[in-house]
């Protein structure tokens, strides 16, 4: 059994979507971020950085639980453990992993900061503009890729798509991001959101 510690955020939905897509059972622990559950000692033993999501895999042959934190590391761990959500072809496999890092180093931080300025410091336009402009550029990179294939790493749905879907889905309401300039991304969003595993992964957190 895998213990999942998460919340209904763009990063938090990644793990439940991945496990639903993989068809694996898990125990869901929803943290109350407003109450700072993620900063309490019990959770800090799992993720010393005090951020969701995190997992504890108790189903290991040697009987020693494995903790994994950071969403990209979690999805890579689950994909390798359960042999899914990563292409078999070596070139496509590393491409999916590269897109995973693209999200953790680009889309997530830039959209997160854009939303932070929009919601907390709306009077400081240069701060918002900086991160919104970079978010636009990064989604433009996704647009180029998705104009050539249905998913980020080719014809196959993978962890690359799961890494991005929470942010792309919520960016319009989170900080007014306009997706209309990226038709291939809009089509990809609809395609991913229509998947049963994605629906289940989102519904368990609402």
């Amino acid at each position: 059994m895998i213990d999942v510690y998460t919340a209904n955020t763009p990063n938090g939905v990644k793990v439940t979507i991945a496990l639903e897509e993989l068809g694996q059972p898990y125990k869901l622990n929803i943290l109350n971020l407003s109450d700072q559950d993620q900063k309490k000692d019990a959770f800090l033993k799992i993720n010393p950085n005090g951020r969701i999501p995190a997992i504890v895999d108790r189903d290991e042959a040697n009987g020693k639980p494995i903790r994994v934190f950071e969403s990209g590391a979690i999805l890579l761990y689950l994909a390798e453990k359960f042999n899914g959500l990563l292409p078999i072809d070596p070139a496509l496999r590393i491409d999916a992993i590269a897109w995973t890092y693209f999200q953790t180093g680009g889309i997530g931080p830039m959209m997160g900061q854009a939303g932070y300025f929009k919601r907390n410091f709306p009077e400081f336009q240069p701060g918002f503009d900086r991160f919104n402009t970079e978010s636009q550029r990064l989604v433009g990179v996704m647009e180029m890729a998705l104009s050539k294939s249905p998913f980020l790493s080719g014809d196959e749905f993978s962890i690359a798509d799961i890494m991005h879907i929470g942010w792309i889905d919520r960016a319009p309401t989170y900080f007014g991001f306009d997706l209309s300039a990226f038709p291939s991304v809009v089509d990809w969003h609809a395609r991913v959101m229509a998947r049963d595993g994605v629906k289940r992964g989102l519904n368990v957190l609402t």
Side-chain angles (χ1 to χ4, degrees), residues 124-137:
F124 188 59
Q125 193 65 31
F128 172 74
D129 289 345
R130 160 73 177 92
F131 295 107
N132 184 54
T133 298
E134 181 62 4
S135 296
Q136 294 277 345
R137 186 190 72 80

Side-chain angles (χ1 to χ4, degrees), residues 37 39-46:
D37 286 352
K39 304 297 183 184
K40 295 177 181 177
D41 288 345
F43 183 69
L44 290 174
K45 292 177 181 178
I46 301 168

Side-chain angles (χ1 to χ4, degrees), residues 12-53:
V13 302
K14 298 172 184 176
V15 180
T16 53
I17 289 175
L19 285 165
E20 292 291 346
E21 283 281 343
L22 289 164
Q24 298 298 323
Y26 56 95
K27 179 182 177 182
L28 181 61
N29 301 276
I30 299 179
L31 276 63
N32 188 325
L33 304 185
S34 297
D35 288 346
Q36 295 286 294
D37 286 352
Q38 74 278 19
K39 304 297 183 184
K40 295 177 181 177
D41 288 345
F43 183 69
L44 290 174
K45 292 177 181 178
I46 301 168
N47 183 358
N49 194 34
R51 301 287 182 87
I52 57 96

Side-chain angles (χ1 to χ4, degrees), residues 86-100:
L86 274 176
I88 296 174
D89 179 88
L92 294 176
R93 178 186 174 87
I94 196 62
D95 195 52
I97 294 172
W99 280 111
T100 296

Side-chain angles (χ1 to χ4, degrees), residues 9 37-38 41 70-71 99 105 107 112-113 124 138 143 146 156-157 159 177 192 202:
T9 71
D37 286 352
Q38 74 278 19
D41 288 345
E70 293 296 323
S71 60
W99 280 111
I107 289 287
Q113 290 295 329
F124 188 59
L138 291 168
E143 175 71 17
L146 291 167
E156 214 174 310
F157 179 79
I159 62 171
F177 190 88
V192 172
L202 293 171

